[in-house]
Amino acid sequence: MVAASKRRVGILGGSFDPVHNGHIGLAIQVRERFHLDGILFIPAYISPHKLNKRPTASNHRLAMLRLATASQPFFSISAIELVRKKVSFTIDTLTALLRKRPETEFYLIVGMDAFEGFNTWKAVHRLLELCHVIVAARPGYASEKVEETLTKIFIDSSTPYAPGIREGDMLRYNHLEKKTTLSFFDLPPVAVSSSQIRERIRGGEEIKNMLPPEVENYIIENQLYRSNSHP
């Protein structure tokens, strides 16, 4: 018998405080371009890179994510990090997901800023062995910068990746020992961020077209981001 192919699922993590059109647009583009079966959104309880910032209550962030993804049949949400109620390290979450879903092939989706900081991530070498990584890069991002970052990640050893292969606006690296890949694709920067939305709300400024209407209505109804202290 021919073994069934594994499901290919993208992982998009973050505080989602709040989730906005940039998050949704990125998920849609990645799923289509990499032919993934679905995208799994994972809101962080506390990001290890934002330990000095207290996020909005988990129930609100989870509710906004549900509203934002409800119309997308290929999107799903996992509250695994919210339930754990600890600092959210990606390697811990990925290990738990693989234990529960051994038939799934995971693709971690990050932005270029996150990739450039990979050398600070917990057990990043192991992370790169366990899953594929997709990096949304600024158009024209030089492969030399990728090599520079890989050198920082594998500072005490040589990179386990073969030389990058350019395919149109995509650059892919194949792990020499594992079957995982590290892929970069061009994505024009989106002029919207969660922090910008929070600041505009606090300042009484317009936020239309920055996030799904359902999320905007939820924020208004629950009076979120009206002060510097999150509920």
Side-chain angles (χ1 to χ4, degrees):
M1 293 178 61
V2 178
S5 59
K6 290 188 173 184
R7 290 195 77 243
R8 295 155 48 89
V9 175
I11 295 175
L12 187 57
S15 297
F16 300 114
D17 195 13
V19 58
H20 54 68
N21 289 339
H23 296 131
I24 302 302
L26 171 62
I28 291 173
Q29 289 198 49
V30 168
R31 195 195 77 79
E32 292 177 348
R33 294 190 65 172
F34 289 85
H35 309 290
L36 302 183
D37 295 303
I39 301 292
L40 182 64
F41 287 76
I42 305 181
Y45 182 68
I46 297 177
S47 169
H49 308 290
K50 300 177 182 178
L51 295 177
N52 61 334
K53 296 181 180 179
R54 179 173 167 238
T56 300
S58 298
N59 63 304
H60 286 309
R61 293 186 287 122
L62 187 58
M64 289 187 283
L65 258 180
R66 285 172 175 157
L67 290 170
T69 59
S71 64
Q72 299 288 343
F74 298 103
F75 291 177
S76 59
I77 302 168
S78 170
I80 183 173
E81 294 185 353
L82 301 182
V83 172
R84 191 184 296 140
K85 293 187 177 181
K86 296 180 180 179
V87 175
S88 304
F89 292 103
T90 302
I91 185 63
D92 298 335
T93 299
L94 179 64
T95 301
L97 287 174
L98 286 169
R99 191 180 302 120
K100 292 180 179 179
R101 308 184 189 185
E103 77 293 345
T104 302
E105 199 168 3
F106 288 106
Y107 291 71
L108 179 65
I109 305 165
V110 298
M112 184 55 73
D113 290 343
F115 170 70
E116 290 179 341
F118 258 20
N119 61 303
T120 67
W121 284 37
K122 178 183 176 181
V124 67
H125 293 190
R126 182 60 177 155
L127 179 69
L128 292 168
E129 293 177 350
L130 290 177
C131 72
H132 304 279
V133 175
I134 297 174
V135 184
R138 296 178 292 276
Y141 191 84
S143 57
E144 289 78 9
K145 291 289 290 183
V146 175
E147 300 291 346
E148 181 180 318
T149 300
L150 287 175
T151 299
K152 291 179 182 178
I153 295 172
F154 300 97
I155 192 169
D156 295 323
S157 59
S158 58
T159 173
Y161 291 98
I165 302 171
R166 177 73 66 175
E167 298 174 347
D169 65 349
M170 201 174 298
L171 178 64
R172 188 181 75 253
Y173 291 79
N174 295 307
H175 200 290
L176 291 169
E177 296 181 14
K178 309 297 178 179
K179 293 183 179 181
T180 57
T181 57
L182 174 61
S183 303
F184 301 79
F185 78 102
D186 289 353
L187 183 70
V190 179
V192 59
S193 69
S194 295
S195 60
Q196 179 189 28
I197 291 172
R198 295 195 300 269
E199 289 172 6
R200 291 181 71 87
I201 292 173
R202 281 195 291 268
E205 299 178 60
E206 188 64 65
I207 58 170
K208 284 192 181 300
N209 302 319
M210 300 179 75
L211 65 178
E214 298 85 355
V215 175
E216 181 180 356
N217 291 337
Y218 184 92
I219 290 173
I220 294 171
E221 291 171 2
N222 290 273
Q223 294 292 293
L224 301 182
Y225 312 119
R226 298 295 174 182
S227 65
N228 288 321
S229 59
H230 288 163

